[in-house]
Amino acid sequence: MTIVEIGLPRRLVEFAVDGEAVRVPEGSTILDACTAAGKNVPTLCYGDTLEPANACRVCMVEVEGSRTLVPSCSRKAEPGMVVRTETDRTRLSRKVVLELLGSATDLSTTPDVADWMAECGAEPERFGPPAPPSDDRDERRPGEHEIPDGMTAATVRQPVKVDNELYVRDYGKCIQCYKCVDACGEQWQNTFAITMAGRGFDARISTEFANPLPDSACVYCGNCVEVCPTGALSFKREHDKRADGTWDESRQTATTTVCTFCGVGCNLTLHVQDNEIVKVTSPHESSVTHGNLCIKGRFGWQHVQNRV
């Protein structure tokens, strides 16, 4: 059996994953161990700079002795634990979750999701064609639900929110993973400009009183865009280029440099297509930024180029 060790020298916990012995530092999660062992456990809501939210339920695995499947992104490794990532039970769970997400949400810009669906045989279309987009989701009151027509699949589709020149909110792609809320709130920015509103299927990410972003507490750091796993939040330039069919990641280069706006030393990764900066990210492993930036670092690059 293979022994896998990750992290800095600490007390190690040994347990089994799919028949292989794995040793990880105490406090590591099952997902940490699976990743280190080269096992591809799919997940949508997990973020390496955020505390696990346990929202998407795609990363569920089977633990011997546990009555239910457990989320590998948050379940800590324990000595002697026996974990199975590929069983009939886990595959069925992922299939159903991906089908429900795919029938209700536009996952067209979600990385790897098409491969995951193919692997587990997910068929979101079996729930019927998507219902027409709704333009009143922000006005819906908790507890008041429309009776479905039974002919279409209920969706969260709605018009794209374009109310500023920096980033776009396409909540038809939102899976409510809470990552943007956590990044805006107590885990990083502490601005608390957005939160969950509504209940049940009408739940959605919203500003206070559903105000436009310019009228909210948003400081445009873009850290919510950085952690969004589905493209529900995207740079305005990326949104525009996708809309006109010119967005092509295969033609883009990524160059990491240092922000010059102040002396903090934040790392920037410039994504360039056709000699034009189309978006800016930050390395998550950076000890300075951990993937986070301010408005200048994230969006203050327009002066580099002059678009007519």
Side-chain angles (χ1 to χ4, degrees):
M1 292 194 297
T2 304
I3 303 295
V4 179
E5 297 185 13
I6 63 175
L8 298 173
R10 277 188 287 165
R11 179 182 176 185
L12 297 179
V13 173
E14 184 171 342
F15 67 110
V17 178
D18 292 336
E20 293 186 11
V22 176
R23 251 198 282 172
V24 295
E26 190 175 35
S28 300
T29 65
I30 295 175
L31 183 61
D32 292 333
C34 291
T35 302
K39 298 183 182 299
N40 182 25
V41 177
T43 181
L44 289 171
C45 73
Y46 173 75
D48 57 358
T49 62
L50 298 167
E51 292 295 323
N54 301 326
C56 75
R57 318 305 281 185
V58 177
C59 72
M60 308 297 280
V61 296
E62 193 168 351
V63 174
E64 190 172 282
S66 177
R67 181 178 60 85
T68 62
L69 298 177
V70 301
S72 62
C73 67
S74 61
R75 180 67 179 268
K76 295 293 191 294
E78 300 173 10
M81 178 183 281
V82 177
V83 177
R84 299 183 181 87
T85 65
E86 289 293 337
T87 65
D88 291 342
R89 198 178 178 193
T90 59
R91 284 191 291 268
L92 177 60
S93 173
R94 290 172 195 161
K95 176 179 183 291
V96 172
V97 169
L98 288 172
E99 284 181 340
L100 292 173
L101 287 175
S103 68
T105 315
D106 176 7
L107 300 179
S108 60
T109 55
T110 305
D112 302 321
V113 75
D115 294 335
W116 298 341
M117 287 193 176
E119 287 176 7
C120 62
E123 300 177 346
E125 60 275 8
R126 71 186 180 93
F127 294 107
S134 171
D135 58 2
D136 66 344
R137 286 187 64 83
D138 287 330
E139 284 75 43
R140 293 184 183 180
R141 300 181 62 181
E144 297 183 3
H145 302 284
E146 296 181 4
I147 299 176
D149 58 17
M151 302 299 293
T152 58
T155 73
V156 296
R157 294 169 64 198
Q158 57 184 292
V160 178
K161 297 179 184 295
V162 184
D163 53 16
N164 67 92
E165 289 299 315
L166 301 183
Y167 71 93
V168 171
R169 296 176 290 161
D170 185 356
Y171 287 147
K173 299 178 179 179
C174 178
I175 61 170
Q176 298 171 31
C177 66
Y178 291 81
K179 291 173 72 172
C180 62
V181 176
D182 290 337
C184 182
E186 61 183 9
Q187 292 197 36
W188 284 115
Q189 191 62 29
N190 286 287
T191 298
F192 301 97
I194 53 177
T195 189
M196 292 297 300
R199 294 292 184 271
F201 197 80
D202 290 337
R204 67 269 183 194
I205 305 294
S206 180
T207 59
E208 186 175 10
F209 300 114
N211 284 322
L213 277 178
D215 299 331
S216 73
C218 178
V219 296
Y220 296 98
C221 64
N223 294 332
C224 57
V225 182
E226 179 74 32
V227 300
C228 180
T230 64
L233 303 174
S234 63
F235 285 78
K236 178 68 161 53
R237 190 60 182 152
E238 177 180 348
H239 176 266
D240 291 344
K241 291 181 76 66
R242 285 187 184 276
D244 62 24
T246 59
W247 180 263
D248 187 354
E249 292 186 2
S250 66
R251 290 160 48 202
Q252 295 176 13
T253 59
T255 304
T256 299
T257 182
V258 178
C259 182
T260 59
F261 278 108
C262 73
V264 172
C266 296
N267 289 168
L268 308 180
T269 299
L270 308 179
H271 299 258
V272 178
Q273 178 180 328
D274 300 329
N275 204 32
E276 175 192 6
I277 300 173
V278 291
K279 70 176 182 180
V280 173
T281 60
S282 182
H284 288 195
E285 66 273 14
S286 170
S287 60
V288 178
T289 61
H290 301 286
N292 300 290
L293 294 169
C294 72
I295 182 175
K296 293 181 180 180
R298 185 84 63 188
F299 297 108
W301 38 265
Q302 285 83 355
H303 65 283
V304 176
Q305 56 219 2
N306 183 22
R307 290 199 306 268
V308 178

